[in-house]
Amino acid sequence: MKQSLGEFLELAIAYVIVFFILREWLIPIMQLTNTGGMHLFLVFIGMSLALSLFRVHPLLSGLVKFGYITWFIVFTYSPSPVLSGDTIPFFIG
């Protein structure tokens, strides 16, 4: 079902508000847990909201999110690049 431009803009504004509410909620959580990389979490939240806003197929959306989460884990916890042979033992062990 097609949605009008007005409905799309209304939904986009709601998603922007949700993004900022989640950001405000995430700030004290990051401080309490002494976790860095808040920008990486915000990118994931924004990407997830954008995929939902543009109604990307759930399978493709899931693959994109899985890829980002995989990259995030390797980027945060491993000194080697994501697409190298050193990341396979990192995931297995």
Side-chain angles (χ1 to χ4, degrees):
M1 182 164 115
K2 286 263 193 183
Q3 65 185 37
S4 69
L5 179 62
E7 292 172 341
F8 178 79
L9 289 176
E10 183 179 332
L11 190 60
I13 290 170
Y15 279 16
V16 168
I17 292 170
V18 165
F19 176 81
F20 284 113
I21 289 172
L22 284 171
R23 181 186 171 275
E24 289 301 316
W25 172 80
L26 195 58
I27 291 171
I29 299 296
M30 298 296 262
Q31 291 171 350
L32 284 173
T33 60
N34 197 20
T35 308
M38 184 168 135
H39 62 285
L40 298 172
F41 287 106
L42 291 176
V43 167
F44 181 76
I45 292 170
M47 179 185 63
S48 297
L49 290 172
L51 289 169
S52 175
L53 178 65
F54 293 113
R55 297 182 181 195
V56 175
H57 191 275
L59 183 61
L60 179 60
S61 175
L63 287 173
V64 169
K65 292 173 189 174
F66 179 76
Y68 184 85
I69 291 169
T70 303
W71 173 84
F72 177 87
I73 290 170
V74 172
F75 179 79
T76 305
Y77 297 109
S78 175
S80 58
V82 176
L83 297 175
S84 70
D86 297 334
T87 57
I88 294 170
F90 175 76
F91 280 118
I92 294 173

